[in-house]
Amino acid sequence: MLGPSSSNTGAGMRAMVSRAPPTISLAAMGSHRFDTAVHARRLAAAAAAAADAGLAGLVITPGYDLRYLIGSRAQTFERLTALVIPASGDATVVLPRLELASLADSAAVELGVSVQEWVDGEDPYRLVRDALGGAAAAVTESMPALHLLPLAEVLGAVPVLATDVLRQLRMIKEPAEIDALRKAGAAIDRVHARVPEFLGPGRTEADVAADIAEAIVAEGHSEVAFIIVGSGPHGADPHHEVSDRELQPGDVVVVDIGGSYEPGYHSDSTRTYSIGQPDPEVAKQYSLLQQAQRAAVAAVRPGVTAEQVDAAARDVLAEAGLAEYFVHRTGHGIGLCVHEEPYIVAGNDLPLAPGMAFSVEPGIYFPGRWGARIEDIVIVTEDGAVSVNNRPHELIVVT
């Protein structure tokens, strides 16, 4: 997926969700977090990373980092909720008394994390300072300014971002995370297998997206993350979502879809379809895109840099004279967030390592005419890469 992660905004998507987007209960999906031992390892690693960075500790407000560390899906409100991880000592959760229930399904209780509850009229930022034991703090990038500014005032210093501290932990997926990504990939493959039955002349992109949304949940996801159905000239816009345009014979249709699979790990896969037999020139250029995608996947192995994988796809298209029609990076990391590090893009000299998971999704886009994209999620292994998506890469003809 190329656009903002988990974006369900825009007129097209609102049209798609005129039927309420389907969801499934967490109870029906099983546990929505990993075993407590997994979160214990993560907390210990985060504290060690903070110490290595010369920080007093980390302050993690609700968001993906909090879910990663203790499995909490608490939300951000005007009252501060924060996990405080000192570089030395025990972690503490600072939260309003009226939000105590938000910890019930997290690993905090089983981990023995202490809880500093507060009520209106008290200063939670001083509780955070006391739990840190120092002023040199790093905060999650999702912390609102509403909380960042008073925290900085109490600490007497502006915190840095914890992104650099947590980056390596979240980029290298543990076996349980890889298993979740594999299951998510298999689930979205089952959806793509059904997409041809949704495509046909006279149906709108919004009609197709509504059917896909139901299929995403029916095939095992807990919720829809995003849906792109770009038909004909709309396929040439990588950020298109859906619209009321009716599919027509001869259309090339880009279908980029994903969902959240418990415990919150995402699928993301793109396949391109043709309503009837494609024009020979379309078929020729699409075959070059297939070559580019294969070349990029083949380049993935430990020690190769992210930018080298990007170049592997880009070079194939450049040699064919299509460089100007490949207008975005080759891929992005994926996990609890649809878009996270590592980013597979020119200028990123990060060496790949086993356990990294990211998309490989070159595309070609001809403004006003048509576009195409092929996307798989791959996981770096000890000697190469394995894809979690296994649907055919050919231009799928719908008759």
Side-chain angles (χ1 to χ4, degrees):
M1 187 221 179
L2 298 168
S5 60
S6 302
S7 173
N8 280 344
T9 60
M13 188 58 75
R14 285 195 294 273
M16 184 275 285
V17 297
S18 58
R19 291 173 12 202
T23 58
I24 190 167
S25 71
L26 294 178
M29 295 299 300
S31 175
H32 63 279
R33 66 170 173 84
F34 293 124
D35 290 341
T36 302
V38 171
H39 292 290
R41 289 195 299 270
R42 291 175 177 179
L43 276 180
D52 290 344
L55 296 167
L58 312 176
V59 182
I60 310 298
T61 46
Y64 291 114
D65 288 336
L66 186 66
R67 188 185 301 188
Y68 176 82
L69 290 165
I70 62 171
S72 171
R73 302 192 186 203
Q75 299 182 48
T76 291
F77 300 107
E78 73 275 14
R79 297 178 177 90
L80 177 72
T81 292
L83 169 68
V84 183
I85 307 172
S88 177
D90 297 328
T92 299
V93 174
V94 174
L95 84 169
R97 183 174 298 169
L98 54 79
E99 296 295 338
L100 281 171
S102 68
L103 290 181
D105 294 328
S106 76
V109 175
E110 294 177 21
L111 287 169
V113 174
S114 65
V115 176
Q116 287 287 316
E117 58 184 82
W118 61 278
V119 297
D120 289 348
E122 296 179 340
D123 187 347
Y125 306 101
R126 294 185 182 278
L127 296 177
V128 170
R129 181 195 60 190
D130 294 344
L132 272 175
V139 300
T140 185
E141 60 188 25
S142 63
M143 179 181 283
L146 172 71
H147 298 311
L148 175 62
L149 296 180
L151 178 61
E153 183 176 357
V154 167
L155 293 177
V158 177
V160 300
L161 287 177
T163 306
D164 288 343
V165 180
L166 297 175
R167 175 184 288 120
Q168 195 68 14
L169 300 183
R170 287 189 53 182
M171 274 199 304
I172 306 299
K173 268 50 180 185
E174 300 169 281
E177 293 176 287
I178 291 172
D179 182 61
L181 288 169
R182 286 179 182 273
K183 290 175 179 175
I188 210 66
D189 278 357
R190 294 193 294 271
V191 178
H192 269 297
R194 296 177 56 184
V195 166
E197 69 187 74
F198 306 144
L199 300 174
R203 302 205 76 210
T204 67
E205 293 172 352
D207 292 335
V208 174
D211 288 336
I212 290 174
E214 292 183 357
I216 286 174
V217 172
E219 296 299 340
H221 296 82
S222 58
E223 61 184 9
V224 177
F226 59 89
I227 297 174
I228 292 173
V229 180
S231 64
H234 289 170
D237 176 6
H239 280 173
H240 181 73
E241 289 182 339
V242 301
S243 75
D244 291 326
R245 182 184 185 274
E246 293 185 356
L247 276 60
Q248 303 171 19
D251 275 352
V252 176
V253 186
V254 177
V255 178
D256 184 353
I257 54 178
S260 178
Y261 194 98
E262 292 306 317
Y265 284 71
H266 285 88
S267 62
D268 184 0
S269 180
T270 308
R271 293 295 184 265
T272 304
Y273 301 81
S274 177
I275 309 299
Q277 291 297 327
D279 179 273
E281 186 64 18
V282 169
K284 177 183 177 181
Q285 291 170 328
Y286 186 86
S287 69
L288 292 166
L289 179 62
Q290 284 183 269
Q291 293 176 35
Q293 207 268 350
R294 284 198 300 267
V297 173
V300 177
R301 62 183 181 276
V304 168
T305 65
E307 65 181 353
Q308 286 176 314
V309 176
D310 179 82
R314 205 165 298 278
D315 289 349
V316 172
L317 295 175
E319 186 174 344
L322 296 174
E324 66 180 292
Y325 302 108
F326 181 16
V327 297
H328 54 75
R329 66 194 175 204
T330 294
H332 58 82
I334 193 168
L336 285 171
C337 188
V338 179
H339 284 189
E340 59 185 48
E341 296 195 57
Y343 293 102
I344 310 305
V345 63
N348 186 0
D349 61 359
L350 175 75
L352 303 182
M356 290 182 177
F358 50 83
S359 67
V360 178
E361 51 177 311
I364 48 176
Y365 310 94
F366 303 93
R369 297 166 55 201
W370 64 283
R373 185 162 62 253
I374 304 169
E375 177 184 16
D376 291 329
I377 300 301
V378 302
I379 297 169
V380 183
T381 64
E382 294 294 335
D383 56 1
V386 61
S387 175
V388 305
N389 300 112
N390 295 290
R391 293 294 300 164
H393 290 166
E394 286 73 26
L395 183 60
I396 301 163
V397 178
V398 180
T399 58

